[in-house]
Amino acid sequence: MNLPTGNPGNLPTRSLGTTGPRVSALGLGCMGMSALYGDADRAESIATIHAALDAGITLLDTGDFYAMGHNEMLIGEALRSAPAAAREKALTSVKFGALRDPDGGWSGYDGRPQAVRNFVAYSLQRLGVDHIDVYRIARIDPDVPIEETVGAIAELVEKGHVRHIGLSEVGADTIRRAAATAPVSDLQIEYSLISRGIEDDILPTARELGIGVTAYGVLSRGLISGHFTRDRQLAANDFRGMSPRFQGENLQHNLDLVEQLRKIAEQKGVSVAQIAIAWVLSRGEDIVPLVGARRRDRLTEALGALDVTLDAADLAAIEEAVPADAAAGERYPAAQMAHLDSER
């Protein structure tokens, strides 16, 4: 099979809404290079970031709580050691607000204005940059109105510490309230063939308000990548071991869906991952998929999705193979689902 591999250094671009920056049509989600997917290879992670920048990816996404700052420091190291031309084109998207403890536990979210100012100060230092391009709270703080949190980010924009305001995993009402407070560039939210909840209310609201979407989980944490096997044993520090979609009968059902998708991919001479990413790309020019590649070979595969064209017949076949709501299991354990304003 001769798989497409993208067009290095000359990627198509898309705008993050009407007020946000123009970025590469694919962004690189860096979380897995530091946390939650088992052990990672630091040297390979940095090499992958360098390869992404060299290929023309400009958007690097992280969270200040990914391994308690490790991911930001990793990106900072990669940027410092990258060629100047690539470093100057790189844009950082940072989530904040999640509270952690020394044992890696989670204890809620903090969206108070004074906390926002505190979080950004540490992120700027760890990343080694003088501004963050898109800044957003990872999950809304139920004790702080979104207007206060967004207003604090707006003040950082005025001071030059942040360029654009983003949102993450919020519902339509929260999007409207935030956008009424200050210009919002994009909403970061899970969106894939098997996570399509945003299509009913959230995506139409974002489009009405000129807000773009950075879609994470486009391969559903590897579940629909075509590489996840039925007998795979996950490491103790891989959070997918607690994810409902990776459990027992749910996993078997979901991998059956992948096999249906594989048939379509093989007919087109592409990989399962490429057709899954291409599907998200096909949903609109206002959507930028984030690919969580931790290795250069997976990055190369993901870039190949940009060369995949899906016509009406392809889309119909994909829809038949993997209908909306076909997945078994929620996308997070119940305790984490409770923090998702987007699911209320």
Side-chain angles (χ1 to χ4, degrees), residues 36 65 67-68 98-109 242 336:
L36 300 177
F65 50 91
M68 284 66 82
L99 303 176
R100 307 295 303 274
D101 63 37
D103 297 320
W106 304 78
S107 54
Y109 297 87
M242 297 184 293
Q336 294 182 42

Side-chain angles (χ1 to χ4, degrees), residues 119-134:
F119 288 133
V120 79
Y122 284 88
S123 287
L124 290 169
Q125 182 70 24
R126 286 189 291 255
L127 287 164
V129 297
D130 61 8
H131 70 272
I132 291 168
D133 293 284
V134 187

Side-chain angles (χ1 to χ4, degrees), residues 28-59:
L28 182 65
C30 299
M31 179 187 76
M33 297 177 180
S34 295
L36 300 177
Y37 286 102
D39 296 335
D41 183 323
R42 186 181 189 88
E44 180 62 21
S45 296
I46 291 175
T48 301
I49 294 173
H50 286 169
L53 295 172
D54 185 59
I57 286 181
T58 60
L59 184 63

Side-chain angles (χ1 to χ4, degrees), residues 212-259:
V213 170
T214 42
Y216 76 89
V218 294
L219 296 179
S220 198
R221 299 162 184 82
L223 181 59
I224 60 171
S225 67
H227 301 298
F228 202 94
T229 59
R230 296 178 189 273
D231 59 351
R232 181 170 174 177
Q233 298 296 311
L234 296 171
N237 57 346
D238 189 324
F239 90 107
R240 290 174 294 186
M242 297 184 293
S243 173
R245 288 185 176 174
F246 288 82
Q247 304 299 312
E249 293 182 0
N250 288 350
L251 176 63
Q252 302 309 315
H253 170 85
N254 294 331
L255 291 180
D256 286 343
L257 296 176
V258 174
E259 291 311 305

Side-chain angles (χ1 to χ4, degrees), residues 30 58 71 86 96 133 136 152-153 172 193 195 205 253 334:
C30 299
T58 60
N71 202 236
F96 68 90
D133 293 284
R136 69 188 90 236
I153 304 174
L193 268 169
S195 296
T205 299
H253 170 85

